[in-house]
Coordinates of all heavy atoms in Angstrom, one line a residue:
G1 N 110.6 82.1 74.7 CA 110.6 81.9 73.3 C 109.6 82.9 72.6 O 109.4 82.7 71.4
G2 N 109.2 83.9 73.3 CA 108.2 84.8 72.7 C 108.8 85.8 71.8 O 109.9 86.2 71.9
E3 N 108.0 86.2 70.7 CA 108.4 87.3 69.8 C 107.2 88.1 69.6 O 106.2 87.7 69.1 CB 108.9 86.7 68.5 CG 110.2 85.8 68.5 CD 111.4 86.6 68.7 OE1 111.4 87.9 68.5 OE2 112.5 86.0 68.9
V4 N 107.4 89.4 69.9 CA 106.2 90.3 69.8 C 106.4 91.4 68.8 O 105.5 92.1 68.4 CB 105.8 90.9 71.1 CG1 105.4 89.8 72.1 CG2 106.9 91.8 71.7
G5 N 107.7 91.6 68.4 CA 108.0 92.7 67.5 C 107.6 94.1 68.1 O 107.8 94.3 69.2
N6 N 107.0 94.9 67.2 CA 106.5 96.2 67.6 C 105.0 96.3 67.8 O 104.5 97.4 68.0 CB 107.0 97.3 66.6 CG 108.5 97.5 66.7 OD1 109.1 97.4 67.7 ND2 109.1 97.9 65.5
S7 N 104.4 95.2 67.7 CA 102.9 95.3 67.8 C 102.5 95.3 69.2 O 103.1 94.8 70.1 CB 102.3 94.0 67.1 OG 102.8 92.9 67.8
V8 N 101.4 95.9 69.5 CA 100.8 96.0 70.8 C 100.1 94.7 71.1 O 99.4 94.2 70.3 CB 99.8 97.2 70.9 CG1 99.1 97.2 72.3 CG2 100.4 98.5 70.5
T9 N 100.4 94.2 72.3 CA 99.9 92.8 72.6 C 98.4 92.9 73.1 O 97.9 94.0 73.3 CB 100.7 92.2 73.7 OG1 100.7 93.1 74.8 CG2 102.1 92.0 73.3
T10 N 97.8 91.8 73.2 CA 96.4 91.7 73.6 C 96.3 92.0 75.1 O 97.2 92.1 75.9 CB 95.9 90.3 73.3 OG1 96.5 89.4 74.2 CG2 96.1 89.9 71.9
D11 N 95.0 92.2 75.5 CA 94.7 92.5 76.9 C 95.0 91.4 77.8 O 95.0 91.5 79.0 CB 93.2 93.0 77.0 CG 93.0 94.3 76.3 OD1 94.0 95.0 76.1 OD2 91.8 94.5 75.9
N12 N 95.1 90.2 77.2 CA 95.3 89.0 78.0 C 96.8 88.8 78.4 O 97.1 88.0 79.3 CB 94.9 87.7 77.3 CG 93.4 87.7 77.1 OD1 92.6 88.2 77.9 ND2 92.9 87.1 76.0
T13 N 97.7 89.6 77.8 CA 99.1 89.5 78.2 C 99.3 90.0 79.6 O 98.9 91.1 80.0 CB 99.9 90.4 77.2 OG1 99.7 90.0 75.9 CG2 101.4 90.2 77.5
K14 N 100.1 89.2 80.3 CA 100.4 89.6 81.7 C 101.5 90.7 81.7 O 102.5 90.6 81.0 CB 100.9 88.3 82.5 CG 101.1 88.5 83.9 CD 101.4 87.2 84.6 CE 101.6 87.4 86.1 NZ 102.0 86.1 86.8
R15 N 101.3 91.7 82.6 CA 102.2 92.9 82.6 C 102.7 93.0 84.1 O 102.1 92.7 85.0 CB 101.4 94.1 82.2 CG 101.1 94.2 80.7 CD 100.2 95.4 80.5 NE 100.0 95.6 79.1 CZ 99.1 95.0 78.3 NH1 98.3 94.0 78.9 NH2 99.0 95.3 77.0
Y16 N 103.9 93.6 84.1 CA 104.5 94.0 85.4 C 104.9 95.4 85.4 O 105.7 95.9 84.5 CB 105.7 93.1 85.7 CG 106.5 93.5 87.0 CD1 106.0 93.1 88.2 CD2 107.6 94.3 86.9 CE1 106.7 93.5 89.4 CE2 108.3 94.6 88.0 CZ 107.8 94.3 89.3 OH 108.5 94.6 90.4
R17 N 104.4 96.2 86.4 CA 104.7 97.6 86.4 C 106.1 97.8 87.1 O 106.3 97.4 88.3 CB 103.6 98.4 87.1 CG 103.8 99.9 87.1 CD 102.6 100.6 87.7 NE 102.7 102.0 87.6 CZ 103.3 102.8 88.6 NH1 103.8 102.2 89.6 NH2 103.3 104.1 88.4
I18 N 107.0 98.6 86.5 CA 108.3 98.8 87.0 C 108.2 99.8 88.2 O 107.9 101.0 87.9 CB 109.3 99.3 86.0 CG1 109.4 98.3 84.8 CG2 110.7 99.6 86.6 CD1 110.2 98.8 83.7
S19 N 108.5 99.4 89.4 CA 108.4 100.3 90.5 C 109.2 99.9 91.7 O 109.9 100.7 92.4 CB 106.9 100.5 91.0 OG 106.4 99.2 91.4
S20 N 109.3 98.6 92.0 CA 110.0 98.1 93.2 C 111.5 98.2 93.0 O 112.0 97.9 92.0 CB 109.6 96.6 93.4 OG 108.2 96.5 93.7
K21 N 112.1 98.6 94.1 CA 113.6 98.7 94.1 C 114.2 97.9 95.3 O 113.5 97.7 96.3 CB 114.0 100.2 94.2 CG 113.7 101.0 93.0 CD 114.1 102.4 93.2 CE 113.8 103.3 92.0 NZ 114.2 104.7 92.2
D22 N 115.4 97.6 95.2 CA 116.2 97.0 96.3 C 117.6 97.4 96.1 O 118.1 97.8 95.0 CB 116.1 95.5 96.3 CG 116.5 94.9 97.6 OD1 116.8 95.6 98.6 OD2 116.7 93.6 97.7
S23 N 118.4 97.4 97.2 CA 119.8 97.9 97.2 C 120.7 96.7 97.2 O 120.4 95.7 97.8 CB 120.0 98.9 98.3 OG 119.8 98.2 99.5
L24 N 121.9 96.9 96.7 CA 123.0 96.0 96.7 C 124.3 96.7 97.2 O 124.5 97.8 96.8 CB 123.3 95.3 95.3 CG 122.2 94.4 94.7 CD1 122.6 94.0 93.3 CD2 122.0 93.2 95.6
S25 N 125.1 96.0 98.0 CA 126.4 96.4 98.3 C 127.4 95.9 97.2 O 127.3 94.8 96.8 CB 126.8 95.9 99.7 OG 126.0 96.5 100.7
G26 N 128.3 96.8 96.8 CA 129.2 96.4 95.8 C 130.4 97.4 95.7 O 130.6 98.3 96.5

């Protein structure tokens, strides 16, 4: 339900760094 718009969030906001990959057959 969060809305942050374009503002920079506070330092307390939890972040996830995009790096991990996995493969799928398809």
Side-chain angles (χ1 to χ4, degrees):
E3 295 282 353
V4 298
N6 289 327
S7 61
V8 179
T9 57
T10 66
D11 292 337
N12 294 327
T13 303
K14 190 176 179 181
R15 291 170 170 82
Y16 173 80
R17 187 174 183 271
I18 302 172
S19 59
S20 298
K21 293 180 181 180
D22 195 10
S23 61
L24 292 175
S25 294

